[in-house]
Amino acid sequence: MKNIYSNILKFNKNTLSKTLRYLKKNKIVGLPTETVYGLAGNAYSDESIKKIYSIKKRPKKNPLIIHYYNLNKASRDIEINNDFIKLYKKLCPGPITFVVKKKRSSKISNLSTAKLKTVAVRFPSNKKTRTILRKLNFPLAIPSANKSSSVSPVSAKDVAEEFRNKIKIIIDGGNAKFGLESTVIDLTNKAGILRPGIIGGLKISKILKKKISMVKSQKIIRSPGSLKKHYSPNIPMKLNQNKAKKNDAFIVFGKKYKNKKNSFNLSKKSNLNEAAKNLYRILRKIKKLKYKKISVVKIPYKGIGVAINDRLKHAAS
Ligand code: TXA
Ligand code: MG
């Protein structure tokens, strides 16, 4: 059998040209971002977008995030409002995604936005992916590089294991800096968080000088990915537990938990950023070790802990 890791490439002049060539031919590549790894394709091409949905087995009604090098390039396709400018200036490039109105003249493939009139846009900070975005004259649709509803990948190896040899180019960017997805904020009416993420609501509130709510019950499904089972290792999982049976995996947080064979500590230092970075890596490890059940301790609901709790809740549903 062919080595499944053989499509993981170091980033250099040659692999950059090869990647650009692939993307221009509407092929799909694996790219690192500062949040999680993604599957990238030409956002202006129906052919590319179809491939992404098919490889991920993603429901067609769940739209993709369109990634740009900068606001200048994005302004061809989207309507820009004041809140957007304020957040862009302070936080971009970085781990935040904005849902905005699509211009009528936008060239973004309708298939990537589930035929909505809005579009989610992001400006990732990962240097390698930024170089690629800068050199292209189209944006990239980049969903997380996992099969629909499963755990997002945080290393190039994770991507290779998820899709075997289906993805011919995976650019190695080491371990993802944050290890958890971007915050998704809806700026089309009253600013509201659709998916909690790396950037907290408090920080956004301070920049916009107004209260930002979490959009919870949605009449129309505004962030379909935020509703169903998601981010899931497909192993039964119980949250807010104080202990675990010895054959079950036990995900803990903080130094009061002793090292045991079945325990996996998100952060011995009780650091929530470190916990976010370790969460998906640990879920993948537990799956590889073939545990049948997972218990998780209570994780503090503050800062990035809000996003961690959100992902755990979806993973457990
Ligand atoms: O950190 C990230 O955002 C990663 C990296 C690779 O950039 N990407 C990512 O993409 O998490 P994905 O496809 O796994 O999640 C996109 C989320 C989904 O929950 C989707 O429903 C939501 O964004 N979304 C996309 N377009 C939307 C729109 N027009 N309105 C509301 N939600 C939208
Ligand atoms: Mg995803």
Short mmCIF file of all heavy atoms in Angstrom, two decimals, residues 134-175:
data_model
loop_
_atom_site.label_atom_id
_atom_site.label_comp_id
_atom_site.label_asym_id
_atom_site.label_seq_id
_atom_site.Cartn_x
_atom_site.Cartn_y
_atom_site.Cartn_z
N ARG A 134 -2.20 35.40 -1.85
CA ARG A 134 -1.71 36.63 -2.48
C ARG A 134 -1.44 36.41 -3.96
O ARG A 134 -1.67 37.28 -4.78
CB ARG A 134 -0.42 37.08 -1.76
CG ARG A 134 0.18 38.38 -2.27
CD ARG A 134 1.21 38.95 -1.29
NE ARG A 134 2.23 37.99 -0.91
CZ ARG A 134 3.32 37.70 -1.65
NH1 ARG A 134 3.50 38.29 -2.80
NH2 ARG A 134 4.19 36.81 -1.22
N LYS A 135 -0.97 35.21 -4.31
CA LYS A 135 -0.56 34.95 -5.68
C LYS A 135 -1.70 34.54 -6.60
O LYS A 135 -1.50 34.38 -7.81
CB LYS A 135 0.53 33.88 -5.69
CG LYS A 135 1.84 34.40 -5.10
CD LYS A 135 2.97 33.45 -5.32
CE LYS A 135 4.29 34.07 -4.88
NZ LYS A 135 4.88 34.94 -5.90
N LEU A 136 -2.90 34.34 -6.06
CA LEU A 136 -4.02 33.89 -6.89
C LEU A 136 -4.93 35.08 -7.23
O LEU A 136 -5.02 36.02 -6.44
CB LEU A 136 -4.84 32.84 -6.14
CG LEU A 136 -4.17 31.50 -5.89
CD1 LEU A 136 -4.99 30.68 -4.89
CD2 LEU A 136 -3.97 30.72 -7.19
N ASN A 137 -5.60 35.00 -8.37
CA ASN A 137 -6.57 36.07 -8.64
C ASN A 137 -8.01 35.60 -8.40
O ASN A 137 -8.95 36.13 -8.97
CB ASN A 137 -6.38 36.69 -10.01
CG ASN A 137 -6.46 35.65 -11.10
OD1 ASN A 137 -6.82 34.50 -10.80
ND2 ASN A 137 -6.14 36.01 -12.32
N PHE A 138 -8.14 34.59 -7.54
CA PHE A 138 -9.47 34.18 -7.06
C PHE A 138 -9.31 33.78 -5.58
O PHE A 138 -8.22 33.41 -5.16
CB PHE A 138 -10.02 33.01 -7.88
CG PHE A 138 -9.06 31.85 -8.05
CD1 PHE A 138 -8.93 30.89 -7.05
CD2 PHE A 138 -8.28 31.72 -9.21
CE1 PHE A 138 -8.05 29.82 -7.21
CE2 PHE A 138 -7.40 30.65 -9.37
CZ PHE A 138 -7.28 29.70 -8.36
N PRO A 139 -10.40 33.91 -4.79
CA PRO A 139 -10.32 33.50 -3.38
C PRO A 139 -10.46 31.98 -3.26
O PRO A 139 -10.81 31.30 -4.23
CB PRO A 139 -11.52 34.20 -2.76
CG PRO A 139 -12.51 34.34 -3.87
CD PRO A 139 -11.71 34.48 -5.14
N LEU A 140 -10.20 31.47 -2.07
CA LEU A 140 -10.30 30.03 -1.84
C LEU A 140 -11.43 29.71 -0.86
O LEU A 140 -11.53 30.34 0.19
CB LEU A 140 -8.98 29.49 -1.27
CG LEU A 140 -7.76 29.59 -2.20
CD1 LEU A 140 -6.48 29.18 -1.45
CD2 LEU A 140 -7.95 28.72 -3.45
N ALA A 141 -12.26 28.75 -1.24
CA ALA A 141 -13.21 28.19 -0.28
C ALA A 141 -12.43 27.18 0.54
O ALA A 141 -11.78 26.30 -0.04
CB ALA A 141 -14.36 27.50 -1.02
N ILE A 142 -12.41 27.35 1.86
CA ILE A 142 -11.63 26.42 2.70
C ILE A 142 -12.43 25.97 3.92
O ILE A 142 -12.40 26.61 4.96
CB ILE A 142 -10.29 27.03 3.20
CG1 ILE A 142 -9.60 27.88 2.13
CG2 ILE A 142 -9.37 25.92 3.72
CD1 ILE A 142 -8.21 28.39 2.54
N PRO A 143 -13.16 24.86 3.81
CA PRO A 143 -13.76 24.27 5.01
C PRO A 143 -12.69 23.47 5.75
O PRO A 143 -11.64 23.17 5.17
CB PRO A 143 -14.82 23.33 4.44
CG PRO A 143 -14.27 22.93 3.12
CD PRO A 143 -13.47 24.10 2.59
N SER A 144 -12.96 23.14 6.99
CA SER A 144 -12.02 22.29 7.73
C SER A 144 -11.84 20.97 6.99
O SER A 144 -12.78 20.45 6.38
CB SER A 144 -12.53 22.06 9.15
OG SER A 144 -13.86 21.58 9.14
N ALA A 145 -10.62 20.43 7.04
CA ALA A 145 -10.28 19.25 6.23
C ALA A 145 -10.63 17.94 6.94
O ALA A 145 -9.75 17.12 7.22
CB ALA A 145 -8.81 19.28 5.84
N ASN A 146 -11.92 17.79 7.22
CA ASN A 146 -12.39 16.54 7.83
C ASN A 146 -13.65 16.11 7.12
O ASN A 146 -14.30 16.94 6.48
CB ASN A 146 -12.71 16.77 9.32
CG ASN A 146 -13.62 17.96 9.52
OD1 ASN A 146 -13.18 19.10 9.57
ND2 ASN A 146 -14.91 17.69 9.58
N LYS A 147 -13.99 14.82 7.22
CA LYS A 147 -15.27 14.39 6.68
C LYS A 147 -16.35 15.05 7.52
O LYS A 147 -16.18 15.26 8.72
CB LYS A 147 -15.38 12.87 6.73
CG LYS A 147 -14.35 12.25 5.81
CD LYS A 147 -14.73 10.84 5.39
CE LYS A 147 -13.56 10.18 4.71
NZ LYS A 147 -12.77 9.35 5.65
N SER A 148 -17.46 15.40 6.86
CA SER A 148 -18.53 16.15 7.51
C SER A 148 -18.89 15.53 8.85
O SER A 148 -19.01 14.31 8.97
CB SER A 148 -19.75 16.14 6.59
OG SER A 148 -20.72 16.98 7.12
N SER A 149 -19.05 16.38 9.85
CA SER A 149 -19.46 16.07 11.23
C SER A 149 -18.36 15.48 12.11
O SER A 149 -18.56 15.30 13.30
CB SER A 149 -20.72 15.18 11.30
OG SER A 149 -20.37 13.82 11.35
N SER A 150 -17.17 15.20 11.55
CA SER A 150 -16.14 14.65 12.44
C SER A 150 -15.16 15.73 12.91
O SER A 150 -15.35 16.91 12.66
CB SER A 150 -15.43 13.46 11.79
OG SER A 150 -14.52 13.90 10.85
N VAL A 151 -14.12 15.29 13.65
CA VAL A 151 -13.20 16.21 14.31
C VAL A 151 -12.30 16.93 13.29
O VAL A 151 -11.76 16.31 12.38
CB VAL A 151 -12.32 15.42 15.31
CG1 VAL A 151 -11.32 16.33 15.99
CG2 VAL A 151 -13.18 14.70 16.32
N SER A 152 -12.10 18.24 13.47
CA SER A 152 -11.23 18.99 12.56
C SER A 152 -9.77 18.60 12.73
O SER A 152 -9.35 18.25 13.82
CB SER A 152 -11.38 20.50 12.83
OG SER A 152 -12.69 20.92 12.59
N PRO A 153 -8.99 18.65 11.63
CA PRO A 153 -7.59 18.27 11.68
C PRO A 153 -6.70 19.41 12.14
O PRO A 153 -6.91 20.56 11.75
CB PRO A 153 -7.27 17.92 10.23
CG PRO A 153 -8.23 18.71 9.44
CD PRO A 153 -9.43 19.00 10.27
N VAL A 154 -5.69 19.10 12.95
CA VAL A 154 -4.80 20.14 13.45
C VAL A 154 -3.35 19.92 13.02
O VAL A 154 -2.46 20.64 13.45
CB VAL A 154 -4.90 20.29 14.99
CG1 VAL A 154 -6.27 20.84 15.36
CG2 VAL A 154 -4.69 18.96 15.71
N SER A 155 -3.12 18.92 12.16
CA SER A 155 -1.78 18.73 11.58
C SER A 155 -1.94 18.16 10.18
O SER A 155 -3.02 17.66 9.82
CB SER A 155 -0.96 17.76 12.44
OG SER A 155 -1.46 16.45 12.28
N ALA A 156 -0.86 18.23 9.39
CA ALA A 156 -0.92 17.70 8.02
C ALA A 156 -1.19 16.20 8.04
O ALA A 156 -1.93 15.67 7.20
CB ALA A 156 0.39 18.01 7.30
N LYS A 157 -0.62 15.51 9.04
CA LYS A 157 -0.86 14.06 9.17
C LYS A 157 -2.34 13.75 9.38
O LYS A 157 -2.86 12.78 8.83
CB LYS A 157 -0.07 13.52 10.37
CG LYS A 157 1.32 13.07 10.04
CD LYS A 157 1.89 12.33 11.23
CE LYS A 157 3.11 11.54 10.81
NZ LYS A 157 3.75 10.86 11.93
N ASP A 158 -3.00 14.58 10.20
CA ASP A 158 -4.45 14.38 10.43
C ASP A 158 -5.20 14.41 9.10
O ASP A 158 -6.11 13.62 8.88
CB ASP A 158 -5.03 15.50 11.31
CG ASP A 158 -4.54 15.44 12.76
OD1 ASP A 158 -3.95 14.42 13.15
OD2 ASP A 158 -4.77 16.43 13.48
N VAL A 159 -4.81 15.35 8.23
CA VAL A 159 -5.50 15.49 6.93
C VAL A 159 -5.28 14.24 6.10
O VAL A 159 -6.21 13.68 5.51
CB VAL A 159 -5.02 16.74 6.16
CG1 VAL A 159 -5.78 16.89 4.84
CG2 VAL A 159 -5.18 18.00 7.00
N ALA A 160 -4.04 13.76 6.07
CA ALA A 160 -3.72 12.56 5.29
C ALA A 160 -4.49 11.36 5.82
O ALA A 160 -5.02 10.55 5.04
CB ALA A 160 -2.22 12.30 5.35
N GLU A 161 -4.61 11.25 7.13
CA GLU A 161 -5.33 10.12 7.71
C GLU A 161 -6.83 10.20 7.42
O GLU A 161 -7.50 9.18 7.27
CB GLU A 161 -5.07 10.05 9.23
CG GLU A 161 -3.66 9.55 9.52
CD GLU A 161 -3.22 9.77 10.97
OE1 GLU A 161 -4.08 10.09 11.82
OE2 GLU A 161 -2.01 9.64 11.23
N GLU A 162 -7.34 11.41 7.33
CA GLU A 162 -8.77 11.61 7.08
C GLU A 162 -9.14 11.19 5.65
O GLU A 162 -10.17 10.58 5.43
CB GLU A 162 -9.10 13.10 7.30
CG GLU A 162 -10.55 13.44 7.37
CD GLU A 162 -11.20 13.19 8.74
OE1 GLU A 162 -10.48 13.01 9.74
OE2 GLU A 162 -12.43 13.16 8.77
N PHE A 163 -8.28 11.53 4.68
CA PHE A 163 -8.66 11.32 3.27
C PHE A 163 -7.76 10.35 2.52
O PHE A 163 -7.86 10.22 1.31
CB PHE A 163 -8.69 12.67 2.53
CG PHE A 163 -9.68 13.64 3.10
CD1 PHE A 163 -9.26 14.73 3.84
CD2 PHE A 163 -11.04 13.45 2.91
CE1 PHE A 163 -10.18 15.63 4.37
CE2 PHE A 163 -11.97 14.34 3.45
CZ PHE A 163 -11.54 15.43 4.18
N ARG A 164 -6.86 9.67 3.26
CA ARG A 164 -5.90 8.75 2.60
C ARG A 164 -5.22 9.45 1.43
O ARG A 164 -4.83 10.57 1.55
CB ARG A 164 -6.64 7.47 2.15
CG ARG A 164 -7.31 6.75 3.29
CD ARG A 164 -6.32 5.87 3.97
NE ARG A 164 -6.54 5.80 5.41
CZ ARG A 164 -5.94 4.93 6.18
NH1 ARG A 164 -5.09 4.07 5.69
NH2 ARG A 164 -6.16 4.94 7.47
N ASN A 165 -5.15 8.80 0.25
CA ASN A 165 -4.42 9.45 -0.84
C ASN A 165 -5.28 10.28 -1.78
O ASN A 165 -4.86 10.67 -2.86
CB ASN A 165 -3.64 8.40 -1.64
CG ASN A 165 -2.47 7.88 -0.84
OD1 ASN A 165 -1.64 8.67 -0.38
ND2 ASN A 165 -2.42 6.59 -0.61
N LYS A 166 -6.50 10.58 -1.33
CA LYS A 166 -7.43 11.35 -2.17
C LYS A 166 -6.95 12.77 -2.43
O LYS A 166 -7.24 13.35 -3.48
CB LYS A 166 -8.80 11.42 -1.49
CG LYS A 166 -9.80 10.47 -2.10
CD LYS A 166 -11.19 10.85 -1.64
CE LYS A 166 -12.22 10.05 -2.39
NZ LYS A 166 -13.51 10.05 -1.68
N ILE A 167 -6.27 13.36 -1.45
CA ILE A 167 -5.77 14.72 -1.59
C ILE A 167 -4.30 14.65 -1.97
O ILE A 167 -3.49 14.14 -1.22
CB ILE A 167 -5.94 15.51 -0.26
CG1 ILE A 167 -7.39 15.45 0.22
CG2 ILE A 167 -5.49 16.96 -0.40
CD1 ILE A 167 -8.37 16.11 -0.73
N LYS A 168 -4.00 15.16 -3.17
CA LYS A 168 -2.66 14.94 -3.74
C LYS A 168 -1.61 15.91 -3.20
O LYS A 168 -0.42 15.67 -3.34
CB LYS A 168 -2.70 15.04 -5.27
CG LYS A 168 -3.68 14.09 -5.92
CD LYS A 168 -3.29 12.63 -5.67
CE LYS A 168 -4.32 11.68 -6.29
NZ LYS A 168 -4.37 10.39 -5.58
N ILE A 169 -2.06 17.04 -2.67
CA ILE A 169 -1.12 17.99 -2.08
C ILE A 169 -1.63 18.41 -0.70
O ILE A 169 -2.76 18.91 -0.58
CB ILE A 169 -0.98 19.26 -2.94
CG1 ILE A 169 -0.37 18.95 -4.30
CG2 ILE A 169 -0.16 20.33 -2.21
CD1 ILE A 169 -0.21 20.18 -5.20
N ILE A 170 -0.82 18.18 0.30
CA ILE A 170 -1.13 18.72 1.64
C ILE A 170 0.10 19.50 2.08
O ILE A 170 1.19 18.94 2.23
CB ILE A 170 -1.42 17.60 2.65
CG1 ILE A 170 -2.59 16.72 2.18
CG2 ILE A 170 -1.72 18.19 4.03
CD1 ILE A 170 -2.74 15.41 2.96
N ILE A 171 -0.05 20.82 2.21
CA ILE A 171 1.10 21.64 2.61
C ILE A 171 1.28 21.53 4.14
O ILE A 171 0.35 21.74 4.91
CB ILE A 171 0.89 23.12 2.21
CG1 ILE A 171 0.84 23.25 0.68
CG2 ILE A 171 1.98 24.01 2.80
CD1 ILE A 171 2.14 22.92 -0.04
N ASP A 172 2.51 21.18 4.52
CA ASP A 172 2.80 21.00 5.94
C ASP A 172 3.05 22.35 6.61
O ASP A 172 3.96 23.08 6.22
CB ASP A 172 4.02 20.09 6.11
CG ASP A 172 4.16 19.61 7.54
OD1 ASP A 172 3.34 20.02 8.39
OD2 ASP A 172 5.06 18.80 7.81
N GLY A 173 2.24 22.67 7.59
CA GLY A 173 2.44 23.92 8.33
C GLY A 173 2.64 23.63 9.81
O GLY A 173 2.37 24.50 10.64
N GLY A 174 3.08 22.42 10.14
CA GLY A 174 3.26 22.06 11.55
C GLY A 174 1.93 21.97 12.27
O GLY A 174 0.87 21.89 11.63
N ASN A 175 1.98 21.99 13.60
CA ASN A 175 0.72 21.95 14.36
C ASN A 175 0.03 23.30 14.27
O ASN A 175 0.67 24.34 14.38
CB ASN A 175 1.00 21.63 15.83
CG ASN A 175 1.51 20.22 16.01
OD1 ASN A 175 1.14 19.31 15.26
ND2 ASN A 175 2.39 20.02 16.97
#
